[in-house]
């Protein structure tokens, strides 16, 4: 079990002052904290024991022992597994850029694995498998993720659609039924076009799935099944590189999850699509 430190880092901006004191105290010296009791942490952080309990609940954990267990798991990782995100700097060498970009992408996926809720992933796979139609909604860079998802699911004969135009997305959403699934993709969870579309889809009775950053966002209000990704990129986000990689990784997980449920059929459809593309190349 791990992911305690990732949860704390990502929750900092949305915590109240007393909870933030506790979180910062833990992040400053996690090795020491796992040896402490609730009373010792309260004394060291200057917050109340009640604030510690509230913090654990905010992180979706059972209590302080659960948090300590996850932090202990984090501390067992090698240094190379926790190098942190590296931002763009003036006049970086080609070697540095290659290493930093690659390390950031790997770190994004590792952090997302720690906070991705397996129960929610299972529910999402169930919904997508049973869906009559699947609609992927996203704007800007997130629309590229939606297009990638459409391409993947079409290859295993799942009826799915994605549109770049926000008006078309909204019109599509109001025609959905309880047999359909809407997947809203927004790193920030605040993209107004995606929120409006998901709200409309939910109003029609469709099952809604969101892929967004960890924590409570506006998009969560219209998501039956929220899937959270790491959001620990620094302020200069370099075109949402890390978050894009983690969103693609979640789409791959959902795609393979659905494909594995009907493995033989999926393999047949994949073989047909590969053969069709191969034949086209020969023309």
């Amino acid at each position: 079990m791990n992911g305690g430190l990732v949860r704390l880092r990502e929750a900092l901006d949305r915590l109240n002052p007393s909870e933030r004191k506790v979180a910062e105290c833990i992040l400053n010296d996690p090795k020491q904290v796992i040896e402490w009791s609730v009373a010792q942490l309260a004394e060291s952080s200057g917050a109340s024991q009640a604030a510690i309990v509230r913090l654990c609940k905010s992180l979706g954990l059972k209590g302080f022992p659960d948090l300590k267990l996850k932090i202990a798991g984090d501390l067992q990782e090698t240094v190379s597994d926790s190098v942190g995100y590296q931002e763009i700097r003036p006049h970086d060498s080609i070697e540095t850029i290659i290493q930093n970009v690659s390390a950031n992408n790997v770190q994004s996926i590792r952090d997302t694995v720690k906070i991705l809720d397996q129960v929610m992933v299972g529910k999402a796979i169930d919904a997508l498998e049973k869906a009559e139609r699947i609609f992927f909604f996203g704007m800007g860079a997130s629309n590229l993720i939606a297009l990638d998802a459409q391409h993947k699911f079409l290859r295993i004969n799942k009826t799915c659609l994605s549109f770049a135009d926000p008006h078309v997305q909204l019109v599509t959403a109001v025609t959905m039924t309880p047999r359909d699934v809407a997947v809203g993709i927004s790193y920030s969870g605040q993209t107004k076009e995606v929120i409006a579309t998901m709200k409309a889809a939910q109003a029609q009775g469709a099952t809604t799935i969101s892929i967004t950053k960890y924590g409570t966002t506006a998009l969560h209000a219209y998501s039956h099944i929220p899937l959270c990704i790491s959001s620990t990129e620094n302020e200069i986000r370099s075109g949402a590189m890390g978050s894009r990689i983690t969103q693609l990784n979640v789409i791959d997980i959902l795609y393979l999850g659905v494909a594995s449920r009907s493995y033989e059929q999926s393999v047949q459809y994949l073989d047909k699509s590969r053969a069709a593309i191969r034949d086209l190349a020969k023309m």
Side-chain angles (χ1 to χ4, degrees):
M1 296 180 66
N2 54 20
L5 297 179
V6 174
R7 284 176 167 83
L8 287 167
R9 286 196 301 267
E10 299 199 7
L12 275 179
D13 291 340
R14 60 183 174 85
L15 297 175
N16 64 42
S18 59
E19 292 174 7
R20 187 176 180 117
K21 281 184 181 180
V22 178
E24 289 176 340
C25 180
I26 296 172
L27 290 171
N28 286 337
D29 193 358
K31 290 182 180 179
Q32 180 63 58
V33 169
I34 62 175
E35 304 294 334
W36 284 348
S37 65
V38 172
Q40 290 172 308
L41 177 56
E43 181 180 358
S44 180
S45 64
S48 66
Q49 294 187 32
I52 297 172
V53 174
R54 290 196 302 271
L55 171 63
C56 293
K57 289 184 178 179
S58 297
L59 299 176
L61 302 176
K62 297 175 182 177
F64 187 48
D66 190 17
L67 176 58
K68 289 201 295 183
L69 187 61
K70 290 186 181 298
I71 292 172
D74 292 332
L75 295 177
Q76 290 177 359
E77 296 179 343
T78 63
V79 174
S80 62
D81 287 340
S82 304
V83 295
Y85 289 88
Q86 303 297 318
E87 276 297 348
I88 295 173
R89 294 170 301 187
H91 312 299
D92 274 344
S93 67
I94 297 299
E95 180 183 2
T96 298
I97 292 171
I98 291 171
Q99 293 298 324
N100 286 350
V101 170
S102 301
N104 285 352
N105 289 337
V106 170
Q107 188 69 34
S108 295
I109 292 175
R110 282 181 173 146
D111 285 348
T112 294
V113 168
K114 294 175 184 177
I115 60 176
L116 195 57
D117 190 323
Q118 292 185 26
V119 173
M120 289 298 172
V121 171
K123 289 182 178 180
I125 291 171
D126 288 340
L128 292 167
E129 180 192 12
K130 297 171 184 175
E132 186 172 284
R133 298 181 300 171
I134 305 169
F135 295 86
F136 295 98
F137 300 119
M139 297 298 298
S142 292
N143 180 248
L144 300 178
I145 313 300
L147 290 172
D148 178 75
Q150 179 192 24
H151 176 255
K152 283 185 170 67
F153 280 87
L154 280 174
R155 293 189 67 194
I156 56 173
N157 200 32
K158 295 297 295 183
T159 302
C160 56
L161 295 164
S162 176
F163 305 99
D165 189 313
H167 291 178
V168 177
Q169 291 185 22
L170 191 55
V171 169
T172 301
V174 299
T175 68
M176 294 181 72
T177 75
R179 299 184 300 277
D180 299 328
V181 171
V183 182
I185 305 167
S186 169
Y187 172 81
S188 68
Q190 306 295 336
T191 308
K192 63 180 182 179
E193 294 87 352
V194 176
I195 292 171
T197 300
M198 294 290 279
K199 181 180 179 180
Q202 193 178 77
Q204 299 304 311
T207 299
T208 52
I209 301 170
S210 64
I211 302 175
T212 185
K213 71 177 183 179
Y214 179 79
T216 303
T217 68
L219 185 55
H220 280 171
Y222 306 106
S223 306
H224 296 116
I225 307 171
L227 301 177
C228 296
I229 65 171
S230 169
S231 63
T232 49
E233 291 173 315
N234 294 329
E235 289 185 5
I236 304 175
R237 291 180 53 211
S238 313
M241 291 187 296
S243 59
R244 186 191 73 242
I245 293 298
T246 56
Q247 287 172 334
L248 287 168
N249 191 57
V250 170
I251 291 297
D252 286 348
I253 290 169
L254 298 177
Y255 162 67
L256 290 175
V258 173
S260 69
R261 297 287 181 86
S262 53
Y263 179 78
E264 296 299 332
Q265 278 190 323
S266 296
V267 169
Q268 289 178 14
Y269 289 130
L270 288 169
D271 286 342
K272 285 183 178 180
S273 63
R274 276 193 291 267
I277 293 171
R278 187 169 57 246
D279 291 343
L280 179 63
K282 296 176 181 178
M283 295 177 65

